Structures are given as C-alpha cells and as structure tokens.
C-alpha cells in the first residue's frame, strides 16, 4: 500500500477511535448521522459519495476529499465520472478549488496504482 494512503487511513482510524472513546453523545450522533447519510436510499451510496466529494471540494477540505475519493473508488466511480464531479466542484467553488483538484487527482492516481499492486 502506498505510504500516503496508509498514513491517511491510519491517522483517520486512530483519531476517530480516540474521539469516539470520549463517550461524548453529540459527537457519536454526528458520526452516526454521517455514516447513515451515505447509505443507499432514494439516491445510491455511489451518487451520494460523488456529491460528498463535490461538496468537500467546494468547502476545500482535503481530508474529506481524500475520504470521498476512497469511497468513490470503492463504489466503482470511473475516472471519467470523477472528472465530471471535479468540473461541477470547480464551477460551483471557483478557481480557488483548483489546488484541491490537483491534490485530488494525485490521490486518485495513488488509489489506482495501489489497486494494481
């Protein structure tokens, strides 16, 4: 596994465990709501992950972008579809999103390379 991917996943898992271990009910509910939001419903989980990616790009949250890129990859989103998501995010968010687009493309390529190993 690529070091950047492993580092991101390990850090996210480790910190989520520490945060949830605090026992704070509000935080647990927020995490639960987040998890349930991306489940299949009237919209598929696949579509919801693409929406999550686009909105994360507009909000310029690199951690969220990486997370949704991973989920999009798991859901079978193609590179062509991904670039349409990127286009929507850039139109909505403006040129300030472009640096996040660069990092998103780099991470997507890492995910693809990692799967080939």
């Amino acid at each position: 596994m690529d070091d950047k991917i492993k580092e991101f996943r390990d850090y996210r898992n480790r910190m989520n465990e520490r945060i949830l271990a605090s026992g704070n009910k509000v935080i647990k509910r927020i995490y639960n709501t987040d998890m349930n939001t991306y489940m299949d419903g009237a919209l598929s989980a696949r579509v919801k992950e693409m929406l999550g990616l686009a909105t994360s790009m507009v909000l310029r949250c690199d951690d969220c972008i990486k997370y949704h890129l991973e989920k999009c990859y798991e859901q079978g989103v193609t590179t062509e579809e991904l670039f349409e998501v990127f286009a929507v995010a850039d139109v909505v968010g403006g040129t300030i999103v472009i640096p996040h687009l660069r990092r998103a493309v780099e991470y997507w390529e890492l995910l693809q390379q990692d799967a080939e190993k």
Side-chain angles (χ1 to χ4, degrees), residues 25-100:
K25 288 181 183 180
V26 174
I27 292 173
K28 284 184 176 185
R29 288 179 179 149
I30 290 169
Y31 274 52
N32 187 289
T33 298
D34 181 71
M35 180 186 71
N36 287 325
T37 297
Y38 292 94
M39 297 174 88
D40 283 327
L43 296 175
S44 68
R46 186 174 186 276
V47 168
K48 289 179 180 184
E49 289 301 340
M50 288 188 278
L51 290 168
L53 175 59
T55 55
S56 294
M57 290 184 73
V58 170
L59 292 170
R60 302 186 307 271
C61 176
D62 283 333
D63 280 6
C64 299
I65 292 167
K66 286 179 181 176
Y67 175 79
H68 288 293
L69 282 168
E70 290 199 13
K71 293 299 180 183
C72 283
Y73 191 83
E74 290 172 11
Q75 292 287 334
V77 173
T78 67
T79 300
E80 185 178 18
E81 291 171 317
L82 194 71
F83 272 85
E84 290 196 15
V85 172
F86 292 158
V88 170
D90 285 345
V91 167
V92 173
T95 57
I96 197 164
V97 175
I98 291 172
H100 302 278

